[in-house]
């Protein structure tokens, strides 16, 4: 990995030199736009609307337009801002970790100690672990002043960018104000469904199926060209969509619970079905099957065929 920023974490008079690394990366297949008729690459050019000339990137600056006037901000203007010059990740406060709402989280960064003696780094890491606190910090990165949460993940200090409070939109939906009654039976069924799906979160067991299917499609088209059969490629048979059926809430919950039990306990439920056959009460179930077979047995008995042995077996069982 290549560091994208160097600076220092500061809290009080303690200074922790660090390097900043992006902790995440995009795994999406890289696609570009082409002309559908000839496959020619579509490229976008930066054209000045006044003279119609293509402008090189180094001659492009930023500007603010208030509707009447335009203020041009050069790269030197931006770089002159005090916060932009700052190379510090300033700890503002330490808060309980559960008070940071995940809705505020943005991009994550790893922090590597950047000094010959990483003791200050280790001290801050140990302090956060022991107190179970998250450090709220402020820093400047890529021409933006940012709010962040500093926490420990697997012995590494992680800086999590946070949205500002005014960037979080309020969920103002009229439907939320309506009084809705949830019955105890519905709640019990829903809790049963939650219990069926309960597990420990393991990110490794989840895959981006869309990207996998996209790669499969690309490979199929590379091999077969545009004549590729997508249904055959993805193993689809007929119309597998079961949508359109309107279910009662309780019925939907019941089916969900049954489906989850079948999926999770498939191997355990098979022996459970065989077990009742050995019990005394379960002998009534096979009786239906025997009565269903009686006509066939009667025919075979009248014709003198070998199945006549079955009644003999019944006589011996009665005698015993």
């Amino acid at each position: 990995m290549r560091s994208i920023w160097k600076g220092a974490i500061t809290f009080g008079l303690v200074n922790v030199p660090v390097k900043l690394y992006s902790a995440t990366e995009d795994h999406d297949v890289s696609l570009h736009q082409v002309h559908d008729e000839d496959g020619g690459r579509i490229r976008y050019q930066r054209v000045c609307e006044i003279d119609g000339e293509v402008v090189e990137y180094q001659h492009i600056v930023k500007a603010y337009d208030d509707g009447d006037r335009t203020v041009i901000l050069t790269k030197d203007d931006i770089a002159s801002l005090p916060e932009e010059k700052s190379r510090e990740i300033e700890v503002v406060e330490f808060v309980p970790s559960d008070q940071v709402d995940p809705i505020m989280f943005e991009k994550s960064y790893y922090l590597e100690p950047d000094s010959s003696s990483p003791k200050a780094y280790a001290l801050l890491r140990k302090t956060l672990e022991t107190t179970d606190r998250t450090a709220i910090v402020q820093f400047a990165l890529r021409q933006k002043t940012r709010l962040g949460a500093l926490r420990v993940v697997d012995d590494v200090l992680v800086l999590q960018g946070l949205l500002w409070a005014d960037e979080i939109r309020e969920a103002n939906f009229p439907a939320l104000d309506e009084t809705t009654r949830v019955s105890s039976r519905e709640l019990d069924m829903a809790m049963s469904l939650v219990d069926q799906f309960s597990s420990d979160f393991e990110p490794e067991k989840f895959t981006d199926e869309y990207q996998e299917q996209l790669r499969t499609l690309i490979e199929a088209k590379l091999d077969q060209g545009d004549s590729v059969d997508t249904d055959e490629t993805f193993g689809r048979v007929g119309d597998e969509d079961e949508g359109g059926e309107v279910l009662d809430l309780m019925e939907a919950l019941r089916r969900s619970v049954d489906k989850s039990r079948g999926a999770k306990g498939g191997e355990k439920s098979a022996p459970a079905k065989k077990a009742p056959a050995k019990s005394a009460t379960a002998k009534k179930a096979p009786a239906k099957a025997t009565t269903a077979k009686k006509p066939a047995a009667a025919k075979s008995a009248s014709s003198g065929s070998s199945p006549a042995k079955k009644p003999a077996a019944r006589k011996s069982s009665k005698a015993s």
Side-chain angles (χ1 to χ4, degrees):
M1 295 191 293
R2 185 172 59 89
S3 64
I4 60 175
W5 185 90
K6 290 178 66 174
I9 303 170
T10 61
F11 64 109
L13 298 177
V14 180
N15 189 282
V16 185
V18 291
K19 292 181 181 179
L20 193 74
Y21 297 85
S22 178
T24 60
E25 59 184 1
D26 190 355
H27 69 190
D28 289 0
V29 176
S30 180
L31 302 175
H32 55 259
Q33 295 179 324
V34 297
H35 188 188
D36 61 352
E37 292 186 2
D38 54 23
R41 184 78 174 263
I42 303 296
R43 298 186 183 276
Y44 293 93
Q45 295 181 317
R46 295 171 287 273
V47 178
C48 176
E49 64 179 18
I50 295 178
D51 56 23
E53 296 292 328
V54 176
V55 182
E56 296 297 325
Y57 187 75
Q58 61 265 28
H59 296 299
I60 296 177
V61 295
K62 296 182 178 180
Y64 173 78
D65 190 343
D66 66 359
D68 297 325
R69 297 168 299 174
T70 299
V71 177
I72 295 178
L73 299 171
T74 66
K75 294 177 181 177
D76 291 337
D77 291 334
I78 299 294
S80 68
L81 296 174
E83 285 294 338
E84 174 64 20
K85 290 181 177 180
S86 174
R87 309 299 285 179
E88 291 184 350
I89 300 173
E90 180 189 2
V91 175
V92 181
E93 57 187 6
F94 293 92
V95 302
S97 298
D98 59 2
Q99 290 185 1
V100 184
D101 195 321
I103 198 174
M104 301 183 69
F105 288 158
E106 280 194 308
K107 192 171 176 58
S108 301
Y109 304 92
Y110 290 134
L111 296 178
E112 177 194 18
D114 186 28
S115 68
S116 56
S117 176
K119 186 173 183 179
Y121 182 98
L123 174 62
L124 177 57
R125 181 185 62 198
K126 186 68 174 178
T127 302
L128 290 174
E129 287 180 325
T130 305
T131 59
D132 191 23
R133 294 264 169 167
T134 293
I136 301 301
V137 301
Q138 286 186 305
F139 61 105
L141 179 66
R142 291 173 175 167
Q143 301 179 353
K144 282 186 68 177
T145 302
R146 302 169 187 264
L147 188 67
L150 191 64
R151 56 196 184 93
V152 181
V153 178
D154 296 333
D155 294 332
V156 179
L157 288 177
V158 172
L159 177 61
Q160 189 104 34
L162 298 177
L163 295 169
W164 297 97
D166 61 356
E167 293 180 309
I168 307 295
R169 301 172 67 182
E170 183 181 357
N172 186 13
F173 305 122
L176 298 178
D177 298 328
E178 297 179 6
T179 303
T180 305
R181 182 181 175 278
V182 177
S183 69
S184 58
R185 188 174 173 221
E186 290 170 337
L187 182 59
D188 290 342
M189 189 68 75
M191 291 174 66
S192 176
L193 182 59
V194 169
D195 185 60
Q196 292 293 323
F197 280 88
S198 294
S199 178
D200 292 324
F201 180 53
E202 300 174 14
E204 304 80 16
K205 68 183 180 184
F206 297 96
T207 57
D208 189 341
E209 294 182 359
Y210 175 82
Q211 292 299 320
E212 289 184 351
Q213 293 169 4
L214 182 57
R215 288 185 173 90
T216 300
L217 178 60
I218 290 173
E219 291 173 2
K221 296 202 75 167
L222 286 172
D223 292 339
Q224 305 174 39
D226 291 332
S227 62
V228 62
D229 185 338
T230 53
D231 286 340
E232 183 180 335
T233 300
F234 296 109
R236 288 194 295 255
V237 180
D239 186 7
E240 298 179 355
D241 185 15
E242 298 179 358
E245 184 180 3
V246 180
L247 296 178
D248 174 77
L249 179 57
M250 277 300 299
E251 177 65 12
L253 287 169
R254 186 189 64 77
R255 289 195 190 182
S256 300
V257 171
D258 291 344
K259 183 178 179 181
S260 176
R261 284 174 179 166
K264 286 193 173 184
E267 295 181 359
K268 296 180 181 179
S269 60
K273 291 179 181 178
K274 293 179 182 178
K278 296 179 181 179
S279 64
T281 54
K283 288 182 180 179
K284 293 181 180 178
K288 294 181 181 178
T290 4
T291 46
K293 292 181 179 179
K294 272 185 179 180
K299 288 181 182 179
S300 58
S302 60
S303 58
S305 56
S306 58
K309 293 179 181 179
K310 286 187 177 179
R314 289 175 187 165
K315 287 180 181 179
S316 60
S317 63
K318 285 180 182 179
S320 61

